[in-house]
Amino acid sequence: MRDNQDIPLAIIVMGVSGSGKSSIGEGVAAKLGIHFIEGDTLHPAANVEKMSKGIPLTDEDRWPWLEKIGQEISASLAKGEGVVVTCSALKRVYRERLRASAGGHLYFIYLAGSKELLTKRMGERKGHFMPTSLLESQLQTLEVPTGEAGVVTVDIDDTIEGIVEASVKSLRTIL
């Protein structure tokens, strides 16, 4: 159980592009009755433009975005509201910065899947700025959060409903 039940839940649904962060994040937030924020909407326009052109983001590109996500989480917690935010959170240092923004009260749902499944899903998406060509870059950048406190790993080879259920069930085992 969580140390302090009075602190609202702050959850990041993380993983590479194509893992289903948005759909799963919305589902988890609905199931838990808390606010949902699509992390991609917090990217500066320059980041979206770079990714749209197939140019991978650098750490320098990501820091302002991560700062904005951290501010949103902090603001929600300050208002006593729970929140689910989508964020690739590819590196441990990014996750640590987000944990610091949340005062350490942050949980992660890591959506894991094979490169083949991720590529297939990205190819089926409509209207998303992230091209399939950037998947390899994200997979190379990803530092899998195995063993980190407050992280659950959920396999994405299922329906959205099944992944949401597995996410909430796994999360409840560490709360």
Side-chain angles (χ1 to χ4, degrees):
M1 292 305 284
R2 291 191 297 152
D3 296 339
N4 188 338
Q5 296 295 322
D6 296 332
I7 298 172
L9 276 175
I11 301 163
I12 291 199
V13 177
M14 66 163 287
V16 297
S17 190
S19 60
K21 293 182 296 291
S22 299
S23 298
I24 304 311
E26 286 176 353
V28 168
K31 201 129 195 77
L32 297 176
I34 59 179
H35 184 61
F36 172 73
I37 298 174
E38 171 55 65
D40 281 346
T41 64
L42 303 176
H43 268 295
N47 284 8
V48 174
E49 184 177 339
K50 263 182 111 167
M51 289 183 284
S52 296
K53 293 178 178 176
I55 302 168
L57 297 180
T58 64
D59 285 350
E60 291 72 29
D61 296 325
R62 287 185 178 108
W63 290 129
W65 175 59
L66 293 166
E67 187 68 30
K68 181 72 175 152
I69 289 172
Q71 290 169 356
E72 292 288 333
I73 292 169
S74 180
S76 288
L77 293 175
K79 291 187 282 187
E81 298 172 356
V83 65
V84 174
V85 185
T86 58
C87 175
S88 53
L90 298 174
K91 292 184 179 181
R92 185 178 190 130
V93 68
Y94 303 162
R95 295 186 293 273
E96 292 302 330
R97 175 169 284 188
L98 292 166
R99 285 182 179 104
S101 297
H105 302 285
L106 184 61
Y107 298 90
F108 290 84
I109 298 169
Y110 168 52
L111 301 176
S114 70
K115 182 178 176 181
E116 295 74 27
L117 180 57
L118 293 162
T119 301
K120 178 181 180 281
R121 286 186 174 188
M122 286 183 77
E124 293 171 349
R125 293 196 300 196
K126 304 276 186 273
H128 196 280
F129 62 83
M130 180 72 107
T132 307
S133 62
L134 286 180
L135 178 59
E136 189 61 41
S137 164
Q138 286 205 328
L139 289 170
Q140 289 173 2
T141 303
L142 177 65
E143 295 171 2
V144 177
T146 304
E148 290 181 31
V151 178
V152 296
T153 299
V154 179
D155 190 286
I156 63 166
D157 195 8
D158 198 351
T159 62
I160 290 172
E161 296 77 19
I163 299 166
V164 167
E165 286 297 325
S167 296
V168 172
K169 184 177 178 183
S170 295
L171 199 56
R172 286 188 170 135
T173 66
I174 64 168
L175 294 178

